[in-house]
Amino acid sequence: MVENNHSTDESGEFKRSLSHFDDRITSDGSSAWPVEPGRYRLVVSKACPWASRMLVVRRLLGLEDALSVGVTDPIQDEKSWRFTLDPGDIDPVLGIHYIAEAYHKREPDYDGGISVPAIVDIPSGELVTNDYLQMTLDLSTQWKRYHRKGAPDLYPEDLRPEMDAVIDRIFRQFNNGVYRAGFATSQVKYDRAYTDVFECLDWLEERLTGQRFLMGDTITEADIRLFATLVRFDPVYHGHFKCNRNKITEMPALWGYTRDLYQTPGFTDTVDFDHIKRHYYVVHSDINPTGIVPDGPDLSVFATAHGRERLGGRPFGDGTPPSAR
């Protein structure tokens, strides 16, 4: 989550900061950080949509043994993301209490935002990257040697030009749009963000009415990026971020699509509604000063029949679903 890595400008508009640490882990050794199984640790919060995308991609590609994961508490304190879910409040691999320690090991004078997902070099304890826009793409393209047998191609070369355009629109209007609405401090900026969110949802509803996934018959990177925001929309963004024209459950194609993905192996086990709801409603005290976490909505509906099989398609293409965990 990069909420503590943003600002609201004088006009009242939410501004998301660029990733300060944008190094890449590459297969050909062209970067300072070569791909090496077991060398790096991925740090996530299950509350965070950007981090959840990494968890889905890692599961679908079968990289669990190559890239370990540390999970932070969904509730941050003044030092940001902390490892209070682990014995002794210490990540068992990195030996630190806060992911901020890896940031400062890399750059002692760093005073910017502390965000997840983040990848840490285990031997040195230094942060490698917090570039949430690039990380999933690199798991698909740079870590191929360590993909499981039957791993799907989530970023096919022939689809990349169109997919990149779809991803860009979803990011600007929807992934980031809900934050622009939720953190806006002026009516004008909120109205603009609200309009963007629902223009994008209407476009997606139309696109997904006649095809099972965003790029056609198989799951791709674009679907994973969209899913992470969709699955949080009714429980959080609809009320908490004032994106309340309608719920996803009221949009037939998008609601069926959301359940289709949610029930797909590799997606379901990365979603933690408890972490999601507690993070947003407790941490955002400027939006929800009481810290009360709503009891609803009824989350059992995510497991109901979606009917998207009628559109055909093969979710994993020529690949296979990941094994149960």
Side-chain angles (χ1 to χ4, degrees):
M1 186 83 60
V2 287
E3 293 146 1
N4 62 331
N5 198 24
H6 78 274
S7 60
T8 303
D9 67 19
E10 292 181 358
S11 73
E13 184 170 12
F14 168 85
K15 296 290 186 182
R16 186 176 297 280
S17 301
L18 297 174
S19 297
H20 180 77
F21 300 96
D22 59 358
D23 287 7
R24 295 180 61 192
I25 300 171
T26 56
S27 60
D28 62 4
S30 60
S31 71
W33 309 101
V35 170
E36 292 180 20
R39 175 173 174 175
Y40 305 100
R41 188 155 176 83
L42 169 64
V43 176
V44 302
S45 163
K46 290 185 176 180
C48 169
W50 322 102
S52 292
R53 299 182 331 197
M54 283 291 285
L55 290 176
V56 173
V57 171
R58 175 177 171 270
R59 280 280 285 122
L60 295 184
L61 299 180
L63 290 170
E64 293 97 328
D65 293 335
L67 180 64
S68 68
V69 165
V71 179
T72 66
D73 195 301
I75 309 300
Q76 299 151 287
D77 66 13
E78 67 280 357
K79 295 181 182 178
S80 196
W81 301 103
R82 51 192 181 152
F83 294 106
T84 52
L85 303 180
D86 295 301
D89 299 345
I90 296 175
D91 180 87
V93 173
L94 299 175
I96 57 179
H97 293 274
Y98 293 87
I99 186 57
E101 295 174 56
Y103 276 70
H104 295 130
K105 190 71 177 289
R106 169 73 181 274
E107 193 172 301
D109 297 328
Y110 178 68
D111 61 358
I114 306 296
S115 65
V116 292
I119 295 180
V120 179
D121 177 50
I122 296 171
S124 69
E126 294 183 10
L127 180 77
V128 175
T129 178
N130 67 347
D131 190 350
Y132 59 96
L133 294 175
Q134 184 63 41
M135 279 189 215
T136 50
L137 300 181
D138 283 346
L139 289 188
S140 285
T141 61
Q142 303 300 311
W143 291 73
K144 276 190 172 183
R145 181 178 175 185
Y146 302 102
H147 290 182
R148 65 179 176 86
K149 184 178 180 180
D153 185 356
L154 299 176
Y155 196 49
E157 278 198 61
D158 61 323
L159 295 180
R160 288 179 193 176
E162 182 187 0
M163 194 190 316
D164 289 346
V166 169
I167 285 171
D168 179 66
R169 179 171 181 178
I170 290 171
F171 173 78
R172 288 185 293 101
Q173 289 194 296
F174 188 52
N175 298 144
N176 198 46
V178 294
Y179 286 89
R180 289 168 46 224
F183 288 112
T185 56
S186 85
Q187 188 70 46
V188 170
K189 298 302 182 182
Y190 162 76
D191 289 345
R192 183 176 298 170
Y194 176 98
T195 298
D196 278 349
V197 167
F198 287 101
E199 279 187 356
C200 189
L201 286 177
D202 288 341
W203 167 65
L204 290 165
E205 177 74 5
E206 181 178 359
R207 186 180 182 98
L208 289 166
T209 295
Q211 62 188 49
R212 191 165 177 185
F213 304 108
L214 281 173
M215 303 308 299
D217 290 338
T218 62
I219 293 168
T220 65
E221 172 80 18
D223 297 293
I224 295 165
R225 295 195 182 207
L226 175 57
F227 172 79
T229 303
L230 282 178
V231 79
R232 288 162 172 76
F233 194 87
D234 288 8
V236 175
Y237 303 142
H238 177 269
H240 186 59
F241 279 175
K242 306 181 187 69
C243 295
N244 60 355
R245 189 195 75 179
N246 57 262
K247 296 179 178 179
I248 300 303
T249 54
E250 298 164 350
M251 304 185 77
L254 275 168
W255 177 225
Y257 168 84
T258 302
R259 284 175 290 162
D260 190 0
L261 290 177
Y262 178 80
Q263 295 168 31
T264 297
F267 287 80
T268 314
D269 52 352
T270 66
V271 178
D272 190 319
F273 285 117
D274 173 64
H275 280 213
I276 290 167
K277 290 173 63 176
R278 284 198 292 127
H279 170 77
Y280 282 94
Y281 286 106
V282 174
V283 172
H284 300 164
S285 57
D286 50 342
I287 299 175
N288 185 39
T290 65
I292 293 173
V293 180
D295 290 333
D298 177 9
L299 300 173
S300 67
V301 294
F302 281 90
T304 59
H306 53 76
R308 299 282 290 179
E309 302 93 340
R310 63 180 174 76
L311 295 172
R314 298 175 299 148
F316 298 99
D318 294 330
T320 58
S323 59
R325 284 267 170 171

